[in-house]
Amino acid sequence: MESSKKRKSKAPAKKAKDSLLEQKSPAEFFAENKNIAGFDNPGKCLYTTVRELVENSLDSTESISELPLIEITIEDIEKSKFNSMIGLVDRDRVDEELYDDHETAKAREKRLAKEAQAQELQAKNASLGKKMKEPAAPKTMKGRGGAAFYRVTCKDNGRGMPHDDIPNMFGRVLSGTKYGLKQTRGKFGLGAKMALIWSKMSTGLPIDISSSMKGQNYTSFCRLDIDIHRNIPHIHIHEKRDNKDQRHGAEIQVVIEGNWTTYRSKILHYMRQMAVITPYAEFLFKFVSDVSDKNVTIRFARRTDVMPPVPLETKHHPSSVDLLLIKRLIEETSKQNLLQFLQHEFVNIGKSYAERLIGELGPEFSPKMPFNDPSGDCLSPAGEYNLRLGIIKELHPELVATYSGSAQVFEGHPFIVEAGVSVGGKECQTSRCFSGLNIFRFANRIPLLFEQGADVVTRTALKRINWNSYKINQTQDKVGVFVSIVSTKIPFKGTGKEYIGDDITEIASAVKSAIQHCCIQLKTKIVKNMQAREQKERKRNLSKYAENVAGAVCGVLKQMQQIQASKKKRYNDKEAEVLEKLSTGMITKQMVKEKLVQHVEQVDSEMAMEFAANSGVSEEPRESIYLQSLEAAEDNFIDLHSPLFVFRLFR
């Protein structure tokens, strides 16, 4: 009996040991590892929140071919106001040592002594007439006690969201509408959810969503937060309200901890780069504070109404699939046989090719059969016109060249590389473009600001391009290098979407080729400008000495006239005729000067024409222009499209 009791007493311990296995929800995992999604610190969290909301708004507006109008507001919330929002009541402190900003008697004595010493030194220098720097502001104690809180609001005129889908779209991590094989800015179903998770972690406040779709007579309003442990939305309010203005789009409002001071420049730089790559969008950015001097309002005006086409969802290429994906496609397909399955689920497999594949499914079947590469028809690059317009709008360069490559493939996914290179322009802080190489990176039409040194674009521009061979001085000239990559699968390093690695040969080669094409265009322009400058300088020098040369020529002629008068030498008829005109006043110094200037002009023009003929300037390649048919035009105009411009013709 005792032995059996012992066995029974040991059984629960063994069961407890077996129950040590735990599970974490996706929301819980990303809350504990928020740096993976770009939420490293309060400042970066504020930047990433703005970025994710703006990109979601752009995807929403472009999905319905609506010209984007996006308003972003960051409102600084005072500590007392924030405390009232979360239900905290101010009260007197009892134990001062528990607070971060508590100053001990020793520290206070040391601070006062240092301030007195600084004031004494400042008074001494003032008496000697020396200029003194203003004393630095005292450092605040680190900790949550000195945290800053902001209300971030993003409003757009996009598609909006279905009423019943809103809770799961914001309150369930790894759920979204962008998981298909399609070019999108977002991919992981994390962005807005991570902003909500950070809001819950730092403030505990819910997120407010207002949304209305086209044709709806109501606006969906939802206030929710997220149950991190179960990865489900916790709904506070979910109701329909009157849509009196009949507007469509979404407005998202979230309160988070952040740091505007340290990430102000990054956020504004991001907005300027977004204006470069999307000149067809209008952005209104505001920072609102109780201190009026800190307020910021910037409007990035729309410069064109020509939008890129809407990206199309495509099928998988045979070279991009694995066993797991094939099994999933077989389970989900509605086709009844293998022939229809191959034709329907993959690109570039027609009926005849599918029959050949099935015929080879024997002992000698080789999985390495050749497939045609996927086309880039499903992609939607910004286009040379928009890229060039954005560069000119924001940087005002002296020279700019753009290039859009053809579709290429890596791992079965099509991609297109567009590039622009600008030279010169005004040196200004707002454009963040200075002397030397200034590299601007875009992936699926979103700016990449972090981890620049490891990016394929940076490494290619710095190490693989010989700028001197294109007459560009990469250290002294103000050079802007813009590279935009679009694909159904951007190979980001990490979920933060911060840079593209340099380990994919196809992308690295395409980036190098695109930059080189731009440099070749610029070289022609730079050589022509150099020739024009040399021509102008030569003309200026020759014209400068025309008067002296005319005087010298007239002096020589007068000496010849004196020699002829003394009969020491006889000149031929032409020379005698010239001397006769000189003596009668028909040839003067002013006349000789004018003839010399005319000769300089004539020779200069002949040399320019000879240079143009030898350098082949008149044989530059021409750009094709495509005219849209009248039957296909839905509006009262048609567009003539070229990589360099769009000419609109009204009917």
Side-chain angles (χ1 to χ4, degrees):
M1 294 292 290
E2 290 180 0
S3 61
S4 63
K5 285 182 180 179
K6 288 182 180 179
R7 282 196 298 269
K8 287 182 180 179
S9 63
K10 289 181 180 179
K14 187 176 182 182
K15 189 175 182 181
K17 186 177 180 181
D18 292 341
S19 65
L20 293 177
L21 182 64
E22 296 181 1
Q23 285 185 332
K24 286 186 177 180
S25 72
E28 193 173 4
F29 172 80
F30 283 106
E32 295 176 359
N33 302 276
K34 59 184 183 298
N35 58 302
I36 295 177
F39 286 73
D40 303 64
N41 53 66
K44 184 79 175 293
C45 290
L46 180 62
Y47 162 80
T48 307
T49 299
V50 171
R51 169 182 171 172
E52 294 291 352
L53 295 181
V54 168
E55 290 166 10
N56 286 346
S57 294
L58 282 172
D59 278 337
S60 176
T61 53
E62 291 174 2
S63 66
I64 57 173
S65 299
E66 187 85 16
L67 288 171
L69 175 58
I70 300 173
E71 300 178 12
I72 311 100
T73 304
I74 302 176
E75 180 186 351
D76 188 8
I77 302 176
E78 284 189 342
K79 188 175 180 180
S80 58
K81 183 178 179 181
F82 174 75
N83 287 342
S84 65
M85 291 171 63
I86 61 176
L88 285 181
V89 180
D90 292 336
R91 54 173 293 176
D92 296 334
R93 296 181 180 183
V94 178
D95 191 346
E96 289 283 351
E97 294 183 0
L98 292 176
Y99 295 88
D100 289 330
D101 56 357
H102 171 67
E103 187 178 36
T104 63
K106 187 176 180 180
R108 183 173 182 275
E109 183 180 350
K110 186 177 179 180
R111 176 177 60 82
L112 292 175
K114 190 174 181 180
E115 290 177 359
Q117 185 180 0
Q119 289 176 1
E120 184 180 351
L121 181 62
Q122 189 174 10
K124 183 179 178 181
N125 288 326
S127 63
L128 296 174
K130 294 182 180 179
K131 290 185 178 180
M132 277 289 292
K133 293 182 180 178
E134 294 183 2
K139 294 183 179 179
T140 57
M141 297 293 293
K142 294 182 179 179
R144 296 299 292 272
F149 298 94
Y150 304 90
R151 179 185 286 108
V152 181
T153 306
C154 184
K155 184 178 179 181
D156 63 59
N157 60 334
R159 179 189 294 274
M161 294 165 281
H163 178 79
D164 295 333
D165 292 345
I166 293 176
N168 284 327
M169 293 180 76
F170 285 88
R172 193 184 297 271
V173 174
L174 301 184
S175 66
T177 59
K178 303 177 183 179
Y179 284 131
L181 200 61
K182 180 180 178 180
Q183 174 193 325
T184 57
R185 293 180 173 88
K187 207 68 176 176
F188 304 108
L190 273 178
K193 290 91 166 176
M194 280 304 304
L196 177 55
I197 289 175
W198 174 243
S199 173
K200 188 175 180 67
M201 294 174 66
S202 60
T203 70
L205 293 173
I207 187 172
D208 289 350
I209 306 110
S210 297
S211 172
S212 180
M213 304 181 72
K214 273 190 174 181
Q216 284 184 348
N217 57 2
Y218 65 87
T219 297
S220 301
F221 178 79
C222 186
R223 177 173 293 160
L224 60 86
D225 61 20
I226 184 171
D227 186 333
I228 291 179
H229 299 291
R230 294 194 295 165
N231 191 32
I232 59 173
H234 177 213
I235 301 172
H236 297 243
I237 302 174
H238 191 197
E239 61 186 15
K240 296 179 180 179
R241 299 177 176 178
D242 290 338
N243 185 12
K244 297 179 181 179
D245 299 333
Q246 291 296 311
R247 68 172 301 273
H248 60 88
E251 182 176 352
I252 300 168
Q253 191 175 98
V254 60
V255 179
I256 60 172
E257 179 186 350
N259 192 329
W260 166 256
T261 305
T262 56
Y263 272 77
R264 176 182 186 274
S265 60
K266 282 289 185 185
I267 294 173
L268 295 180
H269 187 35
Y270 168 80
M271 295 304 303
R272 291 189 184 98
Q273 286 207 33
M274 188 60 83
V276 169
I277 200 66
T278 55
Y280 51 87
E282 182 174 347
F283 299 98
L284 177 61
F285 178 86
K286 292 181 180 180
F287 177 79
V288 181
S289 172
D290 291 337
V291 182
S292 58
D293 293 342
K294 294 183 178 180
N295 290 345
V296 176
T297 301
I298 303 177
R299 181 181 293 277
F300 299 90
R302 181 182 295 118
R303 294 295 297 271
T304 177
D305 58 359
V306 178
M307 294 179 63
V310 178
L312 303 176
E313 188 166 356
T314 185
K315 301 173 185 176
H316 293 279
H317 191 266
S319 62
S320 68
V321 298
D322 51 32
L323 290 176
L324 187 64
L325 180 58
I326 291 177
K327 288 180 180 179
R328 181 172 68 82
L329 292 176
I330 291 175
E331 291 174 357
E332 295 176 355
T333 188
S334 60
K335 302 304 174 184
Q336 300 299 319
N337 55 59
L338 184 58
L339 178 65
Q340 294 177 352
F341 170 75
L342 292 174
Q343 291 178 251
H344 182 266
E345 299 294 343
F346 299 98
V347 295
N348 294 350
I349 297 184
K351 183 177 180 180
S352 60
Y353 205 93
E355 290 173 345
R356 289 175 57 193
L357 285 174
I358 295 172
E360 287 295 317
L361 293 177
E364 299 180 356
F365 172 70
S366 172
K368 296 184 179 180
M369 295 190 68
F371 294 98
N372 294 328
D373 289 336
S375 68
D377 297 341
C378 60
L379 301 179
S380 176
E384 283 192 64
Y385 170 72
N386 281 331
L387 183 59
R388 177 185 292 266
L389 190 65
I391 294 172
I392 294 173
K393 169 190 169 185
E394 294 300 321
L395 300 185
H396 309 288
E398 296 174 5
L399 298 173
V400 61
T402 55
Y403 174 78
S404 180
S406 57
Q408 301 187 47
V409 180
F410 80 96
E411 298 178 359
H413 295 276
F415 71 95
I416 293 177
V417 175
E418 296 177 301
V421 178
S422 65
V423 178
K426 296 180 180 179
E427 193 93 8
C428 59
Q429 181 70 26
T430 56
S431 66
R432 294 181 66 88
C433 193
F434 307 99
S435 297
L437 289 181
N438 300 269
I439 299 171
F440 301 85
R441 304 167 292 134
F442 305 91
N444 278 354
R445 306 208 302 269
I446 61 174
L448 307 178
L449 301 188
F450 294 91
E451 302 290 345
Q452 179 168 301
D455 193 90
V456 61
V457 176
T458 304
R459 293 192 175 185
T460 300
L462 293 178
K463 299 180 180 180
R464 301 179 187 132
I465 303 295
N466 184 5
W467 296 96
N468 291 329
S469 64
Y470 302 105
K471 309 296 183 185
I472 298 174
N473 190 326
Q474 68 183 92
T475 57
Q476 296 181 2
D477 293 340
K478 181 182 175 184
V479 184
V481 180
F482 302 79
V483 176
S484 173
I485 303 172
V486 296
S487 176
T488 54
K489 180 184 177 182
I490 296 290
F492 290 115
K493 296 297 183 182
T495 58
K497 299 184 293 184
E498 293 176 348
Y499 75 101
I500 300 172
D502 194 25
D503 53 350
I504 299 177
T505 306
E506 295 88 346
I507 292 181
S509 300
V511 169
K512 180 181 178 181
S513 175
I515 296 175
Q516 286 177 329
H517 274 84
C518 294
C519 292
I520 291 171
Q521 297 177 45
L522 287 177
K523 183 180 179 180
T524 303
K525 299 176 182 178
I526 291 172
V527 169
K528 288 169 66 176
N529 287 350
M530 291 173 61
Q531 180 69 20
R533 283 196 299 269
E534 292 175 1
Q535 177 183 346
K536 187 176 180 180
E537 183 67 18
R538 184 173 60 252
K539 180 179 175 181
R540 188 180 67 83
N541 290 335
L542 290 174
S543 301
K544 177 181 177 181
Y545 296 106
E547 186 170 356
N548 294 335
V549 173
V553 169
C554 290
V556 170
L557 291 175
K558 287 179 180 179
Q559 289 181 3
M560 292 173 63
Q561 193 178 32
Q562 293 174 1
I563 294 172
Q564 186 184 33
S566 62
K567 298 183 179 180
K568 291 182 179 180
K569 184 177 179 180
R570 266 188 89 171
Y571 296 99
N572 58 35
D573 294 341
K574 288 187 177 181
E575 293 170 343
E577 184 181 354
V578 171
L579 295 176
E580 180 67 22
K581 289 182 178 180
L582 181 67
S583 62
T584 58
M586 295 179 66
I587 295 179
T588 61
K589 179 181 176 181
Q590 182 63 27
M591 184 185 299
V592 174
K593 178 183 175 181
E594 292 174 357
K595 291 289 184 182
L596 285 173
V597 172
Q598 290 178 6
H599 183 71
V600 168
E601 294 281 356
Q602 181 181 356
V603 172
D604 220 36
S605 176
E606 291 175 354
M607 289 181 66
M609 292 178 64
E610 183 181 357
F611 170 77
N614 293 336
S615 60
V617 172
S618 60
E619 299 298 326
E620 282 186 347
R622 298 183 179 181
E623 297 288 350
S624 301
I625 299 176
Y626 302 96
L627 181 63
Q628 183 181 354
S629 64
L630 290 173
E631 291 78 8
E634 297 180 358
D635 300 307
N636 293 324
F637 57 83
I638 53 176
D639 289 341
L640 289 77
H641 289 271
S642 167
L644 302 183
F645 66 89
V646 174
F647 182 79
R648 177 156 290 176
L649 180 64
F650 289 90
R651 290 193 284 175

